[in-house]
Amino acid sequence: MLKIEHLGIAVKDLQKSNDLFAQLLGVEHYKIEEVASEGVNTSFFKVGENKIELLEATKEGSPIEKFIAKRGEGIHHVAFEVEDILVEMKRLEAAGFTLLNKKPKKGADNKLVCFVHPKTSNGVLVELCQSIRE
Amino acid sequence: MLKIEHLGIAVKDLQKSNDLFAQLLGVEHYKIEEVASEGVNTSFFKVGENKIELLEATKEGSPIEKFIAKRGEGIHHVAFEVEDILVEMKRLEAAGFTLLNKKPKKGADNKLVCFVHPKTSNGVLVELCQSIRE
């Protein structure tokens, strides 16, 4: 794991939360990107070498909608940057962690991603992400 | 805000979770430190320039014990490194955020810290931290 790539935060209203986090972090978001396959709109802020990703549900029954219904707005997941996602997925599976997708999938911000089930990681939803090389 | 200084994770059993996070992160914790005033034992891992802080309650009624009783183990707070904590506290208070302590207090890992109430920051418990200069 190379660093915390981003912290994902579930929000109800992306526009309102963009304003709130701009005030909190002292910087404006630098992009908004929809990930239709996950039913979310995302917004990104840079904080040094790390990022904050706000997540707003775009459809009923999406993971973010369910998360907010159950726990309210707040921190949803932590994403670690990895050098080689296939190597890390193999390593973690061998160590007993449960992966939520068996193959890397395309996430926001030009990344290949894989999620680790929070039940095997102390209640923490962990995302592995690797930049897609051109 | 300079970067994500650390991510705080509430755990029930520090020893078990130290083993789990060593496997997850691929690195051992580098120190354990008790913060008696907060009723916690903490353990730190380095992930590039960021840290993971595990938090185990040391007494009943401590914030971590209450958090776990209500929500289970998981991500508890995010800490941002700041250059000057007094400047940031003043800036955030003026912007309408509620600070949980009116003066910086001594946290783990040689830091001055201040917490922002999650009710004013989208359900996210935010910690500001500034290294104590010698």
Side-chain angles (χ1 to χ4, degrees):
Chain A
M1 310 276 186
L2 302 176
K3 66 174 180 179
I4 294 177
E5 211 281 331
H6 67 264
L7 192 65
I9 296 170
V11 304
K12 288 180 184 168
D13 181 324
L14 197 61
Q15 201 173 333
K16 273 191 193 167
S17 294
N18 273 338
D19 292 344
L20 184 78
F21 278 85
Q23 287 198 300
L24 178 70
L25 301 171
V27 63
E28 297 287 329
H29 67 279
Y30 67 92
K31 74 165 168 179
I32 288 182
E33 183 180 348
E34 187 178 1
V35 185
S37 58
E38 302 287 329
V40 290
N41 251 330
T42 68
S43 167
F44 285 89
F45 295 77
K46 281 206 174 101
V47 187
E49 285 194 18
N50 311 122
K51 297 171 193 159
I52 297 295
E53 177 188 32
L54 303 184
L55 301 144
E56 174 198 56
T58 55
K59 57 184 177 192
E60 271 189 47
S62 66
I64 293 302
E65 200 248 14
K66 286 183 191 167
F67 178 88
I68 290 177
K70 191 175 171 191
R71 311 193 54 156
E73 293 181 298
I75 299 174
H76 176 260
H77 69 270
V78 55
F80 294 103
E81 187 177 358
V82 299
E83 182 63 33
D84 186 324
I85 197 165
L86 293 173
V87 168
E88 285 296 310
M89 288 171 68
K90 199 170 167 184
R91 184 182 73 77
L92 292 177
E93 205 159 35
F97 293 92
T98 300
L99 306 181
L100 285 170
N101 46 298
K102 295 292 173 193
K103 288 183 179 179
K105 56 184 181 178
K106 178 87 170 60
D109 208 29
N110 205 35
K111 303 285 183 190
L112 286 175
V113 306
C114 176
F115 286 90
V116 180
H117 198 299
K119 285 196 181 164
T120 58
S121 48
N122 258 158
V124 179
L125 178 59
V126 171
E127 178 183 348
L128 309 176
C129 64
Q130 177 203 303
S131 292
I132 297 175
R133 290 147 191 145
E134 302 302 328
Chain B
M1 312 278 185
L2 303 176
K3 66 173 181 180
I4 295 177
E5 211 281 332
H6 67 263
L7 192 65
I9 296 169
V11 304
K12 288 180 185 167
D13 181 324
L14 198 60
Q15 200 173 336
K16 272 191 194 166
S17 294
N18 273 337
D19 291 345
L20 185 78
F21 278 85
Q23 287 198 300
L24 178 69
L25 302 171
V27 63
E28 297 287 329
H29 67 280
Y30 68 91
K31 75 165 166 180
I32 288 181
E33 184 181 347
E34 187 178 0
V35 186
S37 59
E38 301 288 328
V40 289
N41 251 330
T42 67
S43 168
F44 284 89
F45 295 76
K46 282 207 174 101
V47 187
E49 284 194 20
N50 311 122
K51 296 171 194 158
I52 297 296
E53 177 189 32
L54 303 184
L55 302 143
E56 175 199 54
T58 54
K59 56 184 178 193
E60 273 190 44
S62 67
I64 293 302
E65 200 248 14
K66 285 183 191 166
F67 177 89
I68 290 177
K70 191 174 172 191
R71 311 191 55 154
E73 295 181 298
I75 299 175
H76 177 259
H77 69 270
V78 56
F80 293 104
E81 187 176 357
V82 299
E83 182 62 33
D84 186 324
I85 197 165
L86 293 173
V87 168
E88 285 295 312
M89 287 171 68
K90 198 169 167 184
R91 184 181 74 77
L92 291 178
E93 205 158 34
F97 293 93
T98 300
L99 305 182
L100 286 171
N101 45 300
K102 294 293 172 192
K103 288 182 178 180
K105 55 184 180 177
K106 178 85 170 61
D109 209 29
N110 204 37
K111 304 285 183 192
L112 286 176
V113 306
C114 177
F115 286 89
V116 180
H117 198 300
K119 285 196 180 164
T120 58
S121 48
N122 257 159
V124 179
L125 178 58
V126 172
E127 178 184 349
L128 310 176
C129 64
Q130 178 202 303
S131 293
I132 297 174
R133 290 148 192 144
E134 302 301 329

